[in-house]
Amino acid sequence: MEQLLQKVYDQQNLSKEEMSSIATAIFEGQLSKIRIAAFLIALKAKGETAEEMVGIAEVMKQVATQIDFPAGTAMDNCGTGGDKSNSFNISTTAAFVIAASGIPVAKIGNGSISSRSGSADVCKELGIDINMRPEDVTHLLEDVGIAFLYAPHVHPNMKYVMDVRKELGTPTIFNLIGPLSNPVQLETQLMGIYRRDLLEQTAKVLGELGRKRALVLNGAGFMDEASLAGENHFALYENGEVSLSTLNPADVGLAIYPQEAISGGDAKENAAILRSVLDGEPGAYLDTVLLNAGFGLFTNGKVNTVKEGVELARELIESGAAKQKLTDLIAYQKEVLVK
């Protein structure tokens, strides 16, 4: 272990097996918080590789709480966070739109690490119970078509790094790994990432982890979401190949807005924004969700182009179907699930 840690300190890349050894030590509580912090910062300074990401993601999935849901039917649209954009909870809002199309969405998320309101925070504010038992998640996916998985709940061994991540206050490999370690066996996945230089290799990682189709996205201004502020870069993984492309809002019939137009706030403010979007209130918040939901629908293969995805997303919001998903989720948890 000392040799492996020193290798990272010396700016040398780890093999998948070497990273797995370190990850196992972390999740078994064998490393102190100081050593974990030193490792994470050294890894960040060196730059994370695809092999390292696969190594730690596989260990996280092995030690995660297992969710029983048919493999190859659900998708996730979680982003890494860490882009410092102070945006509202875009992917959380878009998840209801995607689910309204009939795609089961297993959305993994966390509380605030490097932002004012993480997906878990806004879910609590909305009245969504995020501390679901594994069987509850299965029922939600089967009967409602959407479930939110609270990362510390499905990854209990993350308790060894949570304080370190909060104290560091900067994105680390765990931001990159979070969306990769969903315990539900996903067929497709849309993943926003704050590192544009990692688009292609992250798409390859998703392929190695069993995704049949995946899209990794970095927005204008290096957001970990699709942005209306300019050019969006993405890598599409399909049939073992990765293709790189870009997309501007005008390409899908949406207007340009500055990043400041989608600023968020605390959980209460972001919950109000989410509801306004699902109510169809026009503006930058709505259009941003249309764009991101459009990417999600395209990633899943529900539509053939992102533009078609945007059009379908608009229909799902205007019809009230997306808002109904939120209503159904809250009602099902209160009325059907017995704690």
Side-chain angles (χ1 to χ4, degrees):
M1 185 55 58
E2 294 297 336
Q3 291 177 337
L4 292 180
L5 292 173
Q6 189 61 50
K7 189 172 180 179
V8 178
Y9 302 152
D10 291 338
Q11 303 286 285
Q12 297 180 44
N13 295 333
L14 299 175
S15 67
K16 183 177 78 170
E17 292 72 24
E18 289 172 332
M19 175 56 90
S20 295
S21 296
I22 293 179
T24 299
I26 290 173
F27 296 135
E28 290 181 353
Q30 297 176 14
L31 298 185
S32 68
K33 291 180 180 179
I34 292 177
R35 296 180 79 191
I36 293 173
F39 166 70
L40 293 177
I41 293 302
L43 195 64
K44 180 183 177 76
K46 175 186 74 64
E48 302 88 346
T49 68
E51 276 199 89
E52 291 165 347
M53 292 165 67
V54 172
I56 195 169
E58 288 183 343
V59 173
M60 281 187 69
K61 285 177 68 68
Q62 288 168 8
V63 300
T65 301
Q66 299 303 303
I67 307 295
D68 183 20
F69 189 70
T73 56
M75 78 170 290
D76 189 1
N77 70 324
C78 178
T80 60
D83 61 11
K84 303 294 185 182
S85 67
N86 192 36
S87 61
F88 73 107
N89 296 95
I90 298 169
S91 63
T92 302
T93 313
F96 291 104
V97 184
I98 296 169
S101 76
I103 301 167
V105 177
K107 176 84 165 66
I108 196 164
N110 211 332
S112 175
I113 299 293
S114 55
S115 64
R116 291 180 64 188
S117 174
S119 62
D121 304 308
V122 79
C123 281
K124 289 179 184 177
E125 186 64 34
L126 290 166
I128 298 169
D129 187 351
I130 59 173
N131 292 306
M132 292 283 95
R133 300 171 300 186
E135 58 268 32
D136 294 336
V137 173
T138 300
H139 290 314
L140 283 169
L141 289 173
E142 290 176 342
D143 299 339
V144 184
I146 186 169
F148 286 86
L149 285 67
Y150 184 38
H153 196 65
V154 296
H155 294 295
N157 296 58
M158 282 292 288
K159 64 185 179 183
Y160 296 112
V161 300
M162 286 304 298
D163 289 344
V164 173
R165 292 183 68 193
K166 283 185 174 290
E167 195 67 27
L168 288 176
T170 186
T172 68
I173 193 171
F174 284 109
N175 287 81
L176 302 172
I177 295 305
L180 301 175
S181 56
N182 194 316
V184 176
Q185 293 300 310
L186 307 173
E187 180 177 49
T188 58
Q189 183 167 358
L190 170 63
M191 178 176 169
I193 190 170
Y194 67 93
R195 292 266 304 272
R196 189 169 295 172
D197 60 310
L198 292 179
L199 284 174
E200 185 173 6
Q201 70 182 59
T202 304
K204 291 177 180 177
V205 168
L206 285 167
E208 288 192 48
L209 293 173
R211 310 297 186 265
K212 292 183 179 178
R213 183 176 163 99
L215 191 147
V216 185
L217 171 70
N218 179 260
F222 296 93
M223 283 187 64
D224 73 322
E225 314 274 4
S227 168
L228 298 172
E231 193 170 62
N232 298 278
H233 295 248
F234 61 94
L236 177 65
Y237 172 86
E238 187 175 26
N239 299 322
E241 301 292 333
V242 176
S243 58
L244 300 174
S245 191
T246 60
L247 182 142
N248 285 281
D251 298 334
V252 294
L254 295 173
I256 301 290
Y257 285 92
Q259 300 287 48
E260 298 75 32
I262 58 167
S263 293
D266 59 18
K268 186 173 184 179
E269 293 170 294
N270 285 4
I273 293 171
L274 184 151
R275 289 187 181 279
S276 75
V277 170
L278 297 186
D279 282 334
E281 186 175 317
Y285 294 126
L286 173 61
D287 284 3
T288 298
V289 171
L290 292 177
L291 181 57
N292 281 274
F295 265 107
L297 295 165
F298 168 69
T299 300
N300 181 266
K302 191 79 174 180
V303 294
N304 294 319
T305 66
V306 178
K307 185 174 183 179
E308 289 179 7
V310 170
E311 293 168 354
L312 176 56
R314 191 184 298 278
E315 293 174 12
L316 293 167
I317 290 176
E318 290 180 350
S319 69
K323 184 179 181 180
Q324 190 62 46
K325 277 296 172 185
L326 171 60
T327 302
D328 290 347
L329 172 59
I330 295 171
Y332 191 93
Q333 288 184 321
K334 289 181 179 179
E335 299 169 9
V336 179
L337 298 181
V338 180
K339 290 290 182 284

